[in-house]
Amino acid sequence: MALNWGILGGSAFALAQMAPAIHSAKGARLTALATSSSDKASAFQAYFPDLRIHRSYEELLEDSDIDAVYIPLPNTLHVEWTMKALQAGKHVLSEKPVAMKAAEIDALIVMRDRTGLLATEAFMIAHHPQWQRTRALIVDGAIGKLVHVQGLFSYNNADQPGNIRNTPETGGGAIPDIGVYTYGSTRFATGEEITTITHADLDYENGVDTLARVEARFETFSASWVNSMRMHPAQMMSFVGEAGVIRLSAPFNAGVFDEAQVELHHGDKVVTVERFPGVNHYVLQVEAFCRSVAEGKPFAWSLEDAQATQSLIDAVYAKAGAD
Protein backbone atom coordinates (compact mmCIF):
# COMPACT_ATOMS: atom_id res chain seq x y z
CA MET A 1 0.00 0.00 0.00
CA ALA A 2 1.33 3.42 -0.95
CA LEU A 3 2.26 5.99 1.67
CA ASN A 4 0.16 9.16 1.36
CA TRP A 5 2.36 12.26 1.49
CA GLY A 6 1.60 15.87 2.34
CA ILE A 7 3.91 18.85 1.88
CA LEU A 8 4.05 21.69 4.42
CA GLY A 9 4.64 24.85 2.39
CA GLY A 10 4.73 25.61 -1.31
CA SER A 11 8.45 26.29 -1.72
CA ALA A 12 10.02 26.55 -5.15
CA PHE A 13 12.33 23.66 -4.32
CA ALA A 14 9.40 21.45 -3.32
CA LEU A 15 7.68 22.25 -6.61
CA ALA A 16 10.78 21.67 -8.72
CA GLN A 17 12.25 18.61 -7.02
CA MET A 18 10.50 16.94 -4.13
CA ALA A 19 6.88 17.02 -5.29
CA PRO A 20 7.84 15.32 -8.59
CA ALA A 21 10.03 12.87 -6.66
CA ILE A 22 7.21 11.89 -4.33
CA HIS A 23 4.86 11.61 -7.30
CA SER A 24 7.31 9.35 -9.16
CA ALA A 25 8.54 7.21 -6.26
CA LYS A 26 7.38 3.64 -5.84
CA GLY A 27 5.35 3.19 -2.68
CA ALA A 28 4.46 6.90 -2.44
CA ARG A 29 1.42 8.96 -3.35
CA LEU A 30 1.50 12.77 -3.40
CA THR A 31 -1.81 13.64 -1.76
CA ALA A 32 -1.87 17.11 -0.22
CA LEU A 33 -0.18 20.49 0.07
CA ALA A 34 -0.52 23.07 2.83
CA THR A 35 -0.22 26.68 1.68
CA SER A 36 -2.23 29.85 2.21
CA SER A 37 -1.07 31.17 -1.17
CA SER A 38 -3.50 30.62 -4.03
CA ASP A 39 -0.71 31.27 -6.55
CA LYS A 40 1.51 28.57 -5.03
CA ALA A 41 -1.40 26.15 -4.82
CA SER A 42 -2.19 26.75 -8.50
CA ALA A 43 1.44 26.19 -9.47
CA PHE A 44 1.44 22.78 -7.80
CA GLN A 45 -1.98 21.82 -9.14
CA ALA A 46 -0.85 22.66 -12.67
CA TYR A 47 1.41 19.61 -12.41
CA PHE A 48 -0.62 17.57 -9.93
CA PRO A 49 -4.32 18.29 -10.63
CA ASP A 50 -5.64 15.92 -7.95
CA LEU A 51 -3.57 17.51 -5.19
CA ARG A 52 -5.66 18.37 -2.12
CA ILE A 53 -4.98 21.90 -0.84
CA HIS A 54 -5.05 22.77 2.86
CA ARG A 55 -4.92 26.44 3.79
CA SER A 56 -2.86 25.88 6.95
CA TYR A 57 -0.17 23.51 8.15
CA GLU A 58 -2.35 22.51 11.09
CA GLU A 59 -5.17 21.56 8.74
CA LEU A 60 -2.91 19.23 6.80
CA LEU A 61 -1.63 17.60 9.98
CA GLU A 62 -5.24 16.95 10.99
CA ASP A 63 -5.90 15.17 7.68
CA SER A 64 -6.30 11.50 8.62
CA ASP A 65 -5.45 10.40 5.06
CA ILE A 66 -1.89 11.72 5.33
CA ASP A 67 0.72 9.22 6.49
CA ALA A 68 3.91 11.23 6.00
CA VAL A 69 4.88 14.87 5.58
CA TYR A 70 7.76 16.55 3.81
CA ILE A 71 8.86 19.85 5.38
CA PRO A 72 10.63 22.36 3.08
CA LEU A 73 10.05 25.36 5.37
CA PRO A 74 12.74 27.90 6.33
CA ASN A 75 15.46 26.37 8.50
CA THR A 76 14.30 27.99 11.73
CA LEU A 77 10.89 26.26 11.46
CA HIS A 78 12.08 22.69 10.94
CA VAL A 79 12.20 21.60 14.59
CA GLU A 80 8.83 23.12 15.44
CA TRP A 81 6.92 21.52 12.58
CA THR A 82 8.75 18.20 12.74
CA MET A 83 7.69 17.97 16.37
CA LYS A 84 4.09 18.94 15.57
CA ALA A 85 3.94 16.42 12.73
CA LEU A 86 5.18 13.62 14.98
CA GLN A 87 2.65 14.59 17.63
CA ALA A 88 -0.02 14.38 14.92
CA GLY A 89 1.04 10.83 14.12
CA LYS A 90 2.82 11.55 10.83
CA HIS A 91 6.16 10.23 9.61
CA VAL A 92 8.47 13.15 8.79
CA LEU A 93 11.09 13.96 6.19
CA SER A 94 12.44 17.43 7.01
CA GLU A 95 14.71 19.49 4.82
CA LYS A 96 18.24 20.03 6.02
CA PRO A 97 19.39 21.32 8.37
CA VAL A 98 16.72 19.77 10.55
CA ALA A 99 17.80 22.12 13.37
CA MET A 100 19.94 25.21 13.90
CA LYS A 101 21.74 23.70 16.90
CA ALA A 102 22.64 20.09 17.62
CA ALA A 103 21.00 20.17 21.06
CA GLU A 104 17.61 20.95 19.47
CA ILE A 105 17.58 17.51 17.86
CA ASP A 106 17.49 15.74 21.22
CA ALA A 107 13.76 16.42 21.61
CA LEU A 108 13.06 15.14 18.09
CA ILE A 109 14.88 11.88 18.81
CA VAL A 110 12.88 11.44 22.02
CA MET A 111 9.59 12.06 20.20
CA ARG A 112 10.57 9.79 17.33
CA ASP A 113 11.34 6.97 19.73
CA ARG A 114 8.20 7.61 21.79
CA THR A 115 5.90 7.52 18.76
CA GLY A 116 7.70 4.80 16.81
CA LEU A 117 7.42 6.97 13.69
CA LEU A 118 10.16 7.60 11.14
CA ALA A 119 11.57 11.11 11.38
CA THR A 120 14.73 12.12 9.58
CA GLU A 121 16.56 14.75 7.58
CA ALA A 122 16.40 14.98 3.80
CA PHE A 123 20.10 14.35 3.14
CA MET A 124 19.39 12.97 -0.29
CA ILE A 125 22.98 12.34 -1.36
CA ALA A 126 23.24 9.44 1.11
CA HIS A 127 20.89 7.54 -1.22
CA HIS A 128 22.87 8.17 -4.40
CA PRO A 129 24.91 5.17 -5.61
CA GLN A 130 27.94 7.37 -6.25
CA TRP A 131 28.21 8.01 -2.51
CA GLN A 132 27.59 4.40 -1.56
CA ARG A 133 30.31 3.43 -4.04
CA THR A 134 32.70 6.04 -2.64
CA ARG A 135 32.20 4.75 0.89
CA ALA A 136 32.79 1.17 -0.26
CA LEU A 137 36.00 2.13 -2.08
CA ILE A 138 37.37 3.81 1.04
CA VAL A 139 36.41 0.89 3.28
CA ASP A 140 37.90 -1.61 0.83
CA GLY A 141 41.23 0.24 0.80
CA ALA A 142 41.14 1.26 -2.86
CA ILE A 143 43.20 4.38 -2.06
CA GLY A 144 45.12 2.95 0.87
CA LYS A 145 45.08 4.87 4.14
CA LEU A 146 42.96 8.00 3.83
CA VAL A 147 45.06 11.11 4.50
CA HIS A 148 43.00 14.16 3.49
CA VAL A 149 39.52 15.15 2.29
CA GLN A 150 38.88 18.29 0.29
CA GLY A 151 35.47 19.72 -0.53
CA LEU A 152 34.01 22.67 -2.42
CA PHE A 153 30.41 23.72 -2.94
CA SER A 154 29.46 27.21 -4.09
CA TYR A 155 26.95 29.35 -5.96
CA ASN A 156 26.19 33.07 -6.19
CA ASN A 157 22.89 34.53 -5.01
CA ALA A 158 24.18 38.04 -4.26
CA ASP A 159 21.42 39.44 -6.48
CA GLN A 160 18.71 37.91 -4.24
CA PRO A 161 18.86 39.88 -0.96
CA GLY A 162 15.39 38.68 0.02
CA ASN A 163 16.23 34.99 -0.42
CA ILE A 164 15.82 33.06 2.83
CA ARG A 165 19.45 31.95 2.51
CA ASN A 166 20.51 35.60 2.80
CA THR A 167 18.47 36.45 5.90
CA PRO A 168 19.42 35.55 9.49
CA GLU A 169 15.79 35.37 10.64
CA THR A 170 15.19 32.30 8.47
CA GLY A 171 18.43 30.54 9.38
CA GLY A 172 20.34 31.61 6.31
CA GLY A 173 24.02 31.21 5.55
CA ALA A 174 26.30 29.19 3.32
CA ILE A 175 27.09 26.65 6.03
CA PRO A 176 23.48 25.69 6.91
CA ASP A 177 22.55 25.57 3.22
CA ILE A 178 25.54 23.83 1.59
CA GLY A 179 28.21 23.34 4.25
CA VAL A 180 25.96 20.58 5.54
CA TYR A 181 26.78 18.69 2.32
CA THR A 182 30.56 19.01 2.35
CA TYR A 183 30.72 18.27 6.08
CA GLY A 184 28.04 15.57 6.11
CA SER A 185 29.33 13.76 3.03
CA THR A 186 32.79 13.56 4.59
CA ARG A 187 31.28 11.90 7.64
CA PHE A 188 29.08 9.62 5.52
CA ALA A 189 31.88 8.41 3.25
CA THR A 190 34.47 7.86 5.98
CA GLY A 191 32.39 6.87 9.00
CA GLU A 192 34.53 9.13 11.16
CA GLU A 193 33.84 12.18 13.35
CA ILE A 194 35.85 15.35 13.85
CA THR A 195 38.22 15.68 16.76
CA THR A 196 38.74 19.42 16.32
CA ILE A 197 38.14 22.36 14.01
CA THR A 198 41.61 23.77 13.39
CA HIS A 199 40.63 26.79 11.27
CA ALA A 200 37.40 28.64 10.52
CA ASP A 201 37.50 31.84 8.47
CA LEU A 202 34.02 33.16 7.69
CA ASP A 203 32.86 36.20 5.71
CA TYR A 204 29.50 37.68 6.70
CA GLU A 205 26.88 39.87 5.03
CA ASN A 206 23.67 40.95 6.72
CA GLY A 207 24.32 38.60 9.62
CA VAL A 208 24.77 35.41 7.59
CA ASP A 209 27.96 33.65 6.50
CA THR A 210 28.50 33.98 2.77
CA LEU A 211 31.98 32.40 2.50
CA ALA A 212 33.35 29.74 4.85
CA ARG A 213 36.91 28.41 4.73
CA VAL A 214 37.21 25.58 7.23
CA GLU A 215 39.85 23.04 8.17
CA ALA A 216 39.37 20.10 10.54
CA ARG A 217 41.00 17.05 12.03
CA PHE A 218 39.17 13.75 12.08
CA GLU A 219 40.21 10.61 13.90
CA THR A 220 42.64 9.47 11.18
CA PHE A 221 42.71 12.21 8.51
CA SER A 222 42.44 15.94 7.91
CA ALA A 223 39.84 17.86 5.91
CA SER A 224 39.41 21.26 4.30
CA TRP A 225 36.19 22.70 2.91
CA VAL A 226 35.08 25.88 1.13
CA ASN A 227 31.44 26.87 0.90
CA SER A 228 30.15 30.12 -0.53
CA MET A 229 27.04 31.94 -1.69
CA ARG A 230 29.21 34.55 -3.43
CA MET A 231 31.22 32.43 -5.88
CA HIS A 232 30.66 30.95 -9.30
CA PRO A 233 28.77 27.63 -9.08
CA ALA A 234 31.22 24.83 -8.39
CA GLN A 235 31.29 21.54 -6.56
CA MET A 236 33.70 18.69 -6.00
CA MET A 237 34.84 16.25 -3.33
CA SER A 238 38.23 14.53 -3.22
CA PHE A 239 39.43 11.78 -0.91
CA VAL A 240 43.22 11.52 -1.00
CA GLY A 241 44.92 8.41 0.30
CA GLU A 242 48.45 7.07 0.44
CA ALA A 243 47.84 4.94 -2.66
CA GLY A 244 45.21 6.80 -4.67
CA VAL A 245 42.55 9.49 -4.98
CA ILE A 246 38.75 9.35 -5.27
CA ARG A 247 37.19 12.39 -6.93
CA LEU A 248 33.47 13.11 -7.40
CA SER A 249 32.62 15.54 -10.18
CA ALA A 250 29.00 16.27 -9.24
CA PRO A 251 28.71 15.17 -5.63
CA PHE A 252 25.71 17.24 -4.55
CA ASN A 253 23.56 18.17 -7.58
CA ALA A 254 24.10 15.00 -9.59
CA GLY A 255 22.49 15.14 -13.01
CA VAL A 256 21.92 18.90 -12.72
CA PHE A 257 25.39 20.36 -12.16
CA ASP A 258 26.93 17.56 -14.21
CA GLU A 259 26.76 13.82 -14.67
CA ALA A 260 27.63 11.91 -11.51
CA GLN A 261 31.04 10.34 -11.88
CA VAL A 262 33.39 8.67 -9.42
CA GLU A 263 37.01 8.82 -10.54
CA LEU A 264 39.50 6.46 -8.95
CA HIS A 265 43.10 7.54 -9.51
CA HIS A 266 45.52 4.79 -8.54
CA GLY A 267 48.68 3.04 -9.60
CA ASP A 268 50.85 4.62 -12.28
CA LYS A 269 48.46 7.24 -13.69
CA VAL A 270 45.62 4.71 -13.90
CA VAL A 271 42.17 6.31 -13.81
CA THR A 272 38.96 4.33 -13.50
CA VAL A 273 35.73 6.27 -14.05
CA GLU A 274 32.32 5.02 -12.96
CA ARG A 275 29.32 6.94 -14.30
CA PHE A 276 25.81 7.17 -12.89
CA PRO A 277 23.58 8.79 -15.53
CA GLY A 278 19.89 9.30 -14.99
CA VAL A 279 19.90 8.67 -11.24
CA ASN A 280 17.47 10.85 -9.24
CA HIS A 281 18.54 10.81 -5.61
CA TYR A 282 15.36 12.58 -4.52
CA VAL A 283 13.26 9.70 -5.85
CA LEU A 284 15.62 7.16 -4.25
CA GLN A 285 15.32 9.00 -0.96
CA VAL A 286 11.51 8.88 -0.98
CA GLU A 287 11.47 5.22 -2.00
CA ALA A 288 13.90 4.34 0.80
CA PHE A 289 11.73 6.28 3.26
CA CYS A 290 8.63 4.37 2.16
CA ARG A 291 10.42 1.02 2.46
CA SER A 292 11.60 1.92 5.92
CA VAL A 293 8.06 2.72 7.03
CA ALA A 294 6.42 -0.26 5.32
CA GLU A 295 9.05 -2.94 5.85
CA GLY A 296 11.32 -1.64 8.59
CA LYS A 297 14.26 -1.37 6.21
CA PRO A 298 17.22 0.67 7.52
CA PHE A 299 17.26 4.28 6.36
CA ALA A 300 20.63 5.64 5.25
CA TRP A 301 20.47 8.90 7.23
CA SER A 302 19.11 9.19 10.76
CA LEU A 303 18.43 12.05 13.15
CA GLU A 304 21.60 10.96 14.92
CA ASP A 305 23.52 11.48 11.67
CA ALA A 306 21.95 14.91 11.27
CA GLN A 307 22.87 15.75 14.86
CA ALA A 308 26.50 14.72 14.35
CA THR A 309 26.78 16.96 11.29
CA GLN A 310 25.08 19.81 13.15
CA SER A 311 27.55 19.35 16.00
CA LEU A 312 30.33 19.84 13.45
CA ILE A 313 28.60 23.00 12.18
CA ASP A 314 28.22 24.27 15.74
CA ALA A 315 31.96 23.69 16.26
CA VAL A 316 32.78 25.64 13.09
CA TYR A 317 30.79 28.67 14.28
CA ALA A 318 32.34 28.39 17.74
CA LYS A 319 35.86 28.30 16.28
CA ALA A 320 35.16 31.25 14.01
CA GLY A 321 33.86 33.23 16.98
CA ALA A 322 36.84 32.27 19.12
CA ASP A 323 39.26 33.40 16.42
Short mmCIF file of all heavy atoms in Angstrom, two decimals, residues 124-154:
data_model
loop_
_atom_site.label_atom_id
_atom_site.label_comp_id
_atom_site.label_asym_id
_atom_site.label_seq_id
_atom_site.Cartn_x
_atom_site.Cartn_y
_atom_site.Cartn_z
N MET A 124 19.67 13.85 0.84
CA MET A 124 19.39 12.97 -0.29
C MET A 124 20.62 12.29 -0.87
O MET A 124 20.53 11.18 -1.42
CB MET A 124 18.64 13.72 -1.39
CG MET A 124 19.45 14.66 -2.25
SD MET A 124 20.03 16.11 -1.33
CE MET A 124 20.88 17.02 -2.63
N ILE A 125 21.79 12.92 -0.73
CA ILE A 125 22.98 12.34 -1.36
C ILE A 125 23.36 10.99 -0.76
O ILE A 125 24.02 10.17 -1.42
CB ILE A 125 24.18 13.29 -1.32
CG1 ILE A 125 24.68 13.50 0.11
CG2 ILE A 125 23.85 14.62 -1.99
CD1 ILE A 125 26.00 14.25 0.18
N ALA A 126 22.94 10.73 0.48
CA ALA A 126 23.24 9.44 1.11
C ALA A 126 22.59 8.28 0.37
O ALA A 126 22.99 7.13 0.53
CB ALA A 126 22.78 9.44 2.56
N HIS A 127 21.60 8.58 -0.48
CA HIS A 127 20.89 7.54 -1.22
C HIS A 127 21.40 7.39 -2.65
O HIS A 127 20.94 6.52 -3.38
CB HIS A 127 19.39 7.87 -1.23
CG HIS A 127 18.83 8.07 0.14
ND1 HIS A 127 18.41 7.04 0.93
CD2 HIS A 127 18.66 9.21 0.87
CE1 HIS A 127 17.99 7.52 2.10
NE2 HIS A 127 18.14 8.82 2.07
N HIS A 128 22.34 8.24 -3.04
CA HIS A 128 22.87 8.17 -4.40
C HIS A 128 23.95 7.10 -4.48
O HIS A 128 24.84 7.03 -3.62
CB HIS A 128 23.45 9.51 -4.83
CG HIS A 128 23.61 9.66 -6.30
ND1 HIS A 128 24.54 8.93 -7.03
CD2 HIS A 128 22.95 10.43 -7.21
CE1 HIS A 128 24.45 9.26 -8.30
NE2 HIS A 128 23.49 10.17 -8.44
N PRO A 129 23.91 6.25 -5.51
CA PRO A 129 24.91 5.17 -5.61
C PRO A 129 26.35 5.65 -5.72
O PRO A 129 27.26 4.92 -5.36
CB PRO A 129 24.48 4.40 -6.87
CG PRO A 129 23.58 5.31 -7.62
CD PRO A 129 22.91 6.16 -6.59
N GLN A 130 26.56 6.88 -6.17
CA GLN A 130 27.94 7.37 -6.25
C GLN A 130 28.55 7.51 -4.86
O GLN A 130 29.75 7.27 -4.66
CB GLN A 130 28.03 8.69 -7.00
CG GLN A 130 27.45 9.90 -6.30
CD GLN A 130 27.81 11.21 -6.97
OE1 GLN A 130 28.82 11.30 -7.68
NE2 GLN A 130 26.98 12.22 -6.79
N TRP A 131 27.70 7.87 -3.87
CA TRP A 131 28.21 8.01 -2.51
C TRP A 131 28.35 6.66 -1.81
O TRP A 131 29.28 6.45 -1.03
CB TRP A 131 27.34 8.96 -1.69
CG TRP A 131 27.69 10.38 -1.97
CD1 TRP A 131 26.99 11.29 -2.72
CD2 TRP A 131 28.89 11.04 -1.55
NE1 TRP A 131 27.67 12.48 -2.78
CE2 TRP A 131 28.84 12.35 -2.07
CE3 TRP A 131 29.99 10.66 -0.80
CZ2 TRP A 131 29.86 13.29 -1.84
CZ3 TRP A 131 31.01 11.58 -0.57
CH2 TRP A 131 30.92 12.88 -1.09
N GLN A 132 27.45 5.75 -2.12
CA GLN A 132 27.59 4.40 -1.56
C GLN A 132 28.83 3.73 -2.14
O GLN A 132 29.54 3.01 -1.43
CB GLN A 132 26.31 3.62 -1.86
CG GLN A 132 25.10 4.18 -1.14
CD GLN A 132 23.78 3.79 -1.76
OE1 GLN A 132 23.73 2.97 -2.68
NE2 GLN A 132 22.69 4.37 -1.28
N ARG A 133 29.12 3.99 -3.42
CA ARG A 133 30.31 3.43 -4.04
C ARG A 133 31.57 4.06 -3.45
O ARG A 133 32.57 3.36 -3.19
CB ARG A 133 30.26 3.69 -5.55
CG ARG A 133 31.47 3.19 -6.32
CD ARG A 133 31.67 1.70 -6.16
NE ARG A 133 32.75 1.20 -6.99
CZ ARG A 133 33.44 0.10 -6.72
NH1 ARG A 133 33.18 -0.62 -5.63
NH2 ARG A 133 34.40 -0.29 -7.54
N THR A 134 31.55 5.36 -3.23
CA THR A 134 32.70 6.04 -2.64
C THR A 134 33.02 5.49 -1.25
O THR A 134 34.18 5.22 -0.93
CB THR A 134 32.43 7.55 -2.54
OG1 THR A 134 32.26 8.09 -3.86
CG2 THR A 134 33.57 8.28 -1.84
N ARG A 135 31.98 5.30 -0.45
CA ARG A 135 32.20 4.75 0.89
C ARG A 135 32.78 3.35 0.81
O ARG A 135 33.70 3.01 1.57
CB ARG A 135 30.88 4.74 1.66
CG ARG A 135 31.01 4.23 3.08
CD ARG A 135 29.83 4.60 3.94
NE ARG A 135 28.58 4.01 3.49
CZ ARG A 135 27.43 4.12 4.18
NH1 ARG A 135 27.38 4.80 5.32
NH2 ARG A 135 26.34 3.55 3.71
N ALA A 136 32.28 2.54 -0.12
CA ALA A 136 32.79 1.17 -0.26
C ALA A 136 34.25 1.16 -0.70
O ALA A 136 35.05 0.35 -0.22
CB ALA A 136 31.93 0.40 -1.27
N LEU A 137 34.61 2.07 -1.61
CA LEU A 137 36.00 2.13 -2.08
C LEU A 137 36.95 2.49 -0.94
O LEU A 137 38.04 1.93 -0.81
CB LEU A 137 36.13 3.17 -3.20
CG LEU A 137 35.56 2.77 -4.57
CD1 LEU A 137 35.54 3.98 -5.50
CD2 LEU A 137 36.37 1.64 -5.19
N ILE A 138 36.53 3.42 -0.09
CA ILE A 138 37.37 3.81 1.04
C ILE A 138 37.51 2.66 2.02
O ILE A 138 38.63 2.33 2.47
CB ILE A 138 36.78 5.06 1.73
CG1 ILE A 138 36.87 6.26 0.79
CG2 ILE A 138 37.52 5.34 3.04
CD1 ILE A 138 36.14 7.48 1.30
N VAL A 139 36.39 2.02 2.34
CA VAL A 139 36.41 0.89 3.28
C VAL A 139 37.25 -0.26 2.75
O VAL A 139 38.00 -0.91 3.50
CB VAL A 139 34.98 0.42 3.59
CG1 VAL A 139 34.99 -0.90 4.37
CG2 VAL A 139 34.23 1.48 4.38
N ASP A 140 37.17 -0.49 1.45
CA ASP A 140 37.90 -1.61 0.83
C ASP A 140 39.39 -1.32 0.62
O ASP A 140 40.13 -2.19 0.14
CB ASP A 140 37.26 -1.98 -0.51
CG ASP A 140 35.86 -2.58 -0.34
OD1 ASP A 140 35.53 -2.98 0.79
OD2 ASP A 140 35.12 -2.63 -1.34
N GLY A 141 39.81 -0.09 0.92
CA GLY A 141 41.23 0.24 0.80
C GLY A 141 41.69 0.56 -0.60
O GLY A 141 42.89 0.44 -0.91
N ALA A 142 40.77 0.99 -1.46
CA ALA A 142 41.14 1.26 -2.86
C ALA A 142 42.17 2.38 -2.99
O ALA A 142 42.92 2.42 -3.97
CB ALA A 142 39.89 1.61 -3.66
N ILE A 143 42.21 3.29 -2.01
CA ILE A 143 43.20 4.38 -2.06
C ILE A 143 44.19 4.27 -0.90
O ILE A 143 44.90 5.22 -0.58
CB ILE A 143 42.52 5.76 -2.05
CG1 ILE A 143 41.64 5.93 -0.81
CG2 ILE A 143 41.72 5.98 -3.32
CD1 ILE A 143 41.08 7.34 -0.63
N GLY A 144 44.24 3.11 -0.28
CA GLY A 144 45.12 2.95 0.87
C GLY A 144 44.59 3.73 2.06
O GLY A 144 43.40 4.03 2.17
N LYS A 145 45.47 4.09 2.96
CA LYS A 145 45.08 4.87 4.14
C LYS A 145 44.65 6.27 3.72
O LYS A 145 45.35 6.96 3.00
CB LYS A 145 46.25 4.96 5.12
CG LYS A 145 45.94 5.75 6.39
CD LYS A 145 47.16 5.85 7.28
CE LYS A 145 46.85 6.63 8.55
NZ LYS A 145 46.53 8.06 8.26
N LEU A 146 43.46 6.67 4.15
CA LEU A 146 42.96 8.00 3.83
C LEU A 146 43.77 9.05 4.60
O LEU A 146 43.96 8.93 5.82
CB LEU A 146 41.48 8.11 4.20
CG LEU A 146 40.80 9.46 3.95
CD1 LEU A 146 40.80 9.80 2.46
CD2 LEU A 146 39.37 9.45 4.50
N VAL A 147 44.22 10.07 3.88
CA VAL A 147 45.06 11.11 4.50
C VAL A 147 44.33 12.45 4.59
O VAL A 147 44.39 13.13 5.62
CB VAL A 147 46.37 11.29 3.69
CG1 VAL A 147 47.22 12.40 4.31
CG2 VAL A 147 47.15 9.99 3.64
N HIS A 148 43.61 12.82 3.51
CA HIS A 148 43.00 14.16 3.49
C HIS A 148 41.74 14.16 2.63
O HIS A 148 41.68 13.48 1.59
CB HIS A 148 44.00 15.18 2.93
CG HIS A 148 43.51 16.60 2.99
ND1 HIS A 148 43.39 17.31 4.16
CD2 HIS A 148 43.10 17.44 2.00
CE1 HIS A 148 42.94 18.51 3.92
NE2 HIS A 148 42.74 18.62 2.60
N VAL A 149 40.76 14.94 3.05
CA VAL A 149 39.52 15.15 2.29
C VAL A 149 39.40 16.63 1.95
O VAL A 149 39.64 17.49 2.81
CB VAL A 149 38.28 14.69 3.09
CG1 VAL A 149 37.01 15.00 2.31
CG2 VAL A 149 38.37 13.20 3.41
N GLN A 150 39.05 16.91 0.71
CA GLN A 150 38.88 18.29 0.29
C GLN A 150 37.53 18.45 -0.38
O GLN A 150 37.13 17.63 -1.21
CB GLN A 150 39.98 18.69 -0.70
CG GLN A 150 39.98 20.16 -1.07
CD GLN A 150 41.21 20.54 -1.88
OE1 GLN A 150 42.00 19.68 -2.26
NE2 GLN A 150 41.38 21.82 -2.14
N GLY A 151 36.79 19.51 0.02
CA GLY A 151 35.47 19.72 -0.53
C GLY A 151 35.20 21.16 -0.91
O GLY A 151 35.70 22.09 -0.26
N LEU A 152 34.41 21.33 -1.96
CA LEU A 152 34.01 22.67 -2.42
C LEU A 152 32.57 22.60 -2.89
O LEU A 152 32.18 21.70 -3.63
CB LEU A 152 34.91 23.11 -3.58
CG LEU A 152 34.45 24.35 -4.38
CD1 LEU A 152 34.50 25.60 -3.53
CD2 LEU A 152 35.31 24.52 -5.63
N PHE A 153 31.78 23.58 -2.46
CA PHE A 153 30.41 23.72 -2.94
C PHE A 153 30.08 25.21 -2.89
O PHE A 153 30.15 25.83 -1.82
CB PHE A 153 29.44 22.92 -2.07
CG PHE A 153 28.06 22.71 -2.66
CD1 PHE A 153 27.73 23.13 -3.93
CD2 PHE A 153 27.07 22.08 -1.91
CE1 PHE A 153 26.46 22.93 -4.47
CE2 PHE A 153 25.80 21.87 -2.43
CZ PHE A 153 25.49 22.30 -3.71
N SER A 154 29.73 25.77 -4.04
CA SER A 154 29.46 27.21 -4.09
C SER A 154 28.42 27.55 -5.14
O SER A 154 28.18 26.80 -6.07
CB SER A 154 30.76 27.98 -4.39
OG SER A 154 31.23 27.67 -5.69
#
